[in-house]
Amino acid sequence: MRAGTTNGLDIYVVCHDASDFPGKYTCRCQTIYHGGGNIGGSEISLEVLVADRIEPIRAEMRRRGLYRLPRFANDDPVIVECWL
């Protein structure tokens, strides 16, 4: 996952206890596209960061110069936070 490498808005979604990584923290990049043939489309990266604790994922997001957004009340319960 490399920040700023797509032609859309990259949102890094941090989850806890997702069905494919029970008991773990994960981070995946979801790209929201604009313009061209992908108007309103999105894509989720196949690459995933996995950790036992959230701190290493947060450290990596800060290292990339991203900013943390807390989860919203209507988010899926596995979502912990997002980074832009």
Side-chain angles (χ1 to χ4, degrees):
M1 289 188 291
R2 295 185 350 216
T5 59
T6 67
N7 63 350
L9 173 64
D10 290 341
I11 302 172
Y12 293 83
V13 182
V14 179
C15 296
H16 182 251
D17 206 26
S19 60
D20 53 348
F21 291 96
K24 303 286 185 178
Y25 286 92
T26 59
C27 181
R28 289 183 174 92
C29 179
Q30 181 170 353
T31 303
I32 309 300
Y33 291 105
H34 57 86
N38 290 319
I39 295 175
S42 67
E43 179 180 16
I44 298 174
S45 172
L46 296 177
E47 188 176 357
V48 58
L49 299 176
V50 181
D52 291 325
R53 299 175 301 113
I54 197 169
E55 289 81 11
I57 290 176
R58 285 179 172 164
E60 177 61 20
M61 296 297 103
R62 284 191 296 270
R63 186 190 69 75
R64 296 177 188 206
L66 302 175
Y67 296 91
R68 181 183 169 277
L69 297 173
R71 73 179 304 280
F72 291 95
N74 60 340
D75 282 342
D76 187 299
V78 300
I79 295 175
V80 177
E81 61 197 24
C82 294
W83 291 75
L84 299 175

